[in-house]
Amino acid sequence: EKLNITGAYFNFKARTNVNYTFNDTYTDFVYDFSHVRREVANATNETNPGVGLIINTNGVNEHVSYYSNAIRIVPAGKEWADRVNVTNLNLPHSVQKYDYQIDFRIIRKNNVIYFYYKSPTETEYKYAYKYASGLGSGESTLKFWYSTSFAVDVYIFNVKIREIGADEFTNLP
């Protein structure tokens, strides 16, 4: 089945984690992107991929991502073994599905990370979860992060990331 994407996108086929560093630094930001996963023929496909960001502030990393139909966080300065899986959300969309578009939004404001999602037919993002970041405040570098140990074929598109002001996103939960 042909995937119809308008505008810029990136597609990767990988068997290990994928990182892409954004050029600018951000303090408070909104990061939107769309995700579609394709099945890799004749390969062991990843059963539990994750997609999100690595946020680095003052040399300390924090990983925040969507996986399955849940949220995964590797807290500031911690290792993969210390990850927190928030699985009681019952999100209707799953990163595991093939040929299925999900639109994601991650907001950081006042050192709190907010997770949102929607289908491409929905106009408004739905709130999923919030997390009080363990990173100090200040400018951060951001990396797109895709977590996998087995084969994936992924399209990421509709990528928008920008700094937000104090007068934006004032009604966050």
Side-chain angles (χ1 to χ4, degrees):
E1 178 179 331
K2 183 175 169 135
L3 182 61
N4 185 12
I5 298 175
T6 303
Y9 70 93
F10 63 100
N11 168 237
F12 55 88
K13 296 172 173 76
R15 294 177 190 272
T16 187
N17 292 347
V18 174
N19 296 305
Y20 173 82
T21 303
F22 294 102
N23 288 330
D24 295 321
T25 58
Y26 302 89
T27 301
D28 288 340
F29 61 84
V30 57
Y31 169 51
D32 296 336
F33 65 98
S34 298
H35 169 276
V36 172
R37 178 176 178 217
R38 308 304 292 268
E39 188 168 12
V40 179
N42 304 314
T44 301
N45 283 259
E46 176 64 61
T47 59
N48 198 15
V51 60
L53 286 174
I54 299 173
I55 304 168
N56 182 290
T57 306
N58 299 319
V60 179
N61 284 337
E62 185 165 66
H63 297 67
V64 295
S65 65
Y66 298 88
Y67 86 101
S68 183
N69 63 343
I71 304 291
R72 176 175 285 151
I73 299 161
V74 180
K78 300 291 185 178
E79 298 297 325
W80 183 252
D82 302 312
R83 68 190 176 276
V84 176
N85 295 325
V86 184
T87 58
N88 61 343
L89 301 174
N90 297 315
L91 302 179
H93 307 295
S94 175
V95 177
Q96 292 172 309
K97 290 183 181 179
Y98 299 113
D99 302 312
Y100 181 77
Q101 180 178 331
I102 311 169
D103 299 335
F104 291 115
R105 171 172 279 174
I106 297 173
I107 298 171
R108 181 172 84 171
K109 187 162 185 180
N110 299 325
N111 225 30
V112 176
I113 310 292
Y114 299 87
F115 297 86
Y116 291 83
Y117 65 91
K118 70 180 185 68
S119 75
T121 59
E122 296 171 311
T123 57
E124 298 295 321
Y125 283 91
K126 293 180 176 66
Y127 169 76
Y129 187 71
K130 72 179 177 181
Y131 167 73
S133 174
L135 290 172
S137 60
E139 288 192 351
S140 301
T141 58
L142 303 178
K143 287 183 182 179
F144 166 83
W145 176 48
Y146 202 93
S147 170
T148 185
S149 297
F150 295 96
V152 293
D153 180 1
V154 175
Y155 290 81
I156 302 293
F157 51 104
N158 296 330
V159 176
K160 296 178 195 111
I161 186 165
R162 67 178 177 83
E163 186 77 21
I164 58 173
D167 59 338
E168 295 181 89
F169 298 100
T170 56
N171 295 327
L172 295 169

